Amino acid sequence: MKNTEQLYQYDEEFRNSIGTVDEKGKRVWVFPKMPKGWFHHKRVIVTTVLLTIFFAGPFIRIHGQPFMLFNIFERKFIVFGQVFWPQDFVLLAITLITFFVFVILFTVVFGRVWCGWACPQTLFMEMVYRKIEYWIEGDANQQRKLAAAPWTQEKVLKKGSKQFIFVLIAVLIAHTSMAYLIGMDQVIEIVQQPPTENLAGFLGIVGFTGIFYFVFAWFREQACIVVCPYGRLQGVLLSKDSIVVAYDW
């Protein structure tokens, strides 16, 4: 009877805390084991295609228009080369609502396919940043040993080189993201000019770089658990009888 009560208490209370923070509020760092296998190989292929589209998107033009542009400053939106102005916002809103409904229905039927295979947070975190971490620091056990080891020259070199590469990738993502907001021509102009000539654009790129670096280098999986509204929506879309991948505690 006592064991039954403990099981019930666990099932009801485990949602009151997150696994990345301990009872004292201190960050619990996650060291995932290096993934491998057939499904992971397919995820690598899908990620390569999606990231290629993301980074190539600002350079693609359809009938003289950018492939994608979400210029909220000039209230100009372009989707697949089709221009939407404020008076066309209803059509754009219907398109976006249709996309989100599709993602939700896909989740109901097939589970968290979006989160695992197509979400930008997952693509960059698991398929870019963690890959670099595995390459420099090794698998999970090696990362734990390195984190617990004293600050030797080897540790400083590994940690420093990793963070340097993380910053470079954050800069690349920031420039690409800005290109989707203001256009690639404007981004090139900002890069070529001194910061004082276009201070707003320069600060925008610096701000984006800082956000992406913070999310992927430190905040990491907590973005899905704490911040992402879609992650919180999973509680509505999935029930206790849904088939999910989880640890047998």
Side-chain angles (χ1 to χ4, degrees), residues 154-237:
E154 180 185 4
K155 182 173 180 177
V156 171
L157 180 62
K158 287 186 176 181
K159 292 290 185 180
S161 59
K162 182 185 74 171
Q163 297 301 327
F164 178 72
I165 297 175
F166 281 1
V167 172
L168 290 181
I169 296 176
V171 170
L172 179 61
I173 300 173
H175 281 75
T176 306
S177 300
M178 282 292 289
Y180 280 104
L181 293 179
I182 62 177
M184 179 54 72
D185 295 337
Q186 292 289 333
V187 172
I188 294 176
E189 185 178 334
I190 293 172
V191 172
Q192 292 177 343
Q193 294 178 348
T196 53
E197 295 293 327
N198 198 327
L199 186 59
F202 174 75
L203 292 177
I205 292 178
V206 172
F208 271 153
T209 300
I211 291 172
F212 289 127
Y213 175 74
F214 169 76
V215 170
F216 295 122
W218 189 83
F219 203 56
R220 300 196 157 193
E221 59 281 333
Q222 294 186 123
C224 304
I225 300 173
V226 180
V227 178
C228 180
Y230 182 62
R232 292 179 174 272
L233 190 62
Q234 301 299 318
V236 179
L237 301 178

Side-chain angles (χ1 to χ4, degrees), residues 68-101:
M68 289 279 188
L69 182 68
F70 304 96
N71 194 334
I72 58 177
F73 309 105
E74 298 179 1
R75 294 177 295 280
K76 180 181 180 181
F77 304 91
I78 300 176
V79 180
F80 301 126
Q82 180 64 46
V83 182
F84 293 88
W85 295 99
Q87 59 268 26
D88 303 319
F89 184 76
V90 175
L91 297 176
L92 180 62
I94 292 175
T95 302
L96 294 177
I97 291 173
T98 302
F99 170 74
F100 286 118
V101 170

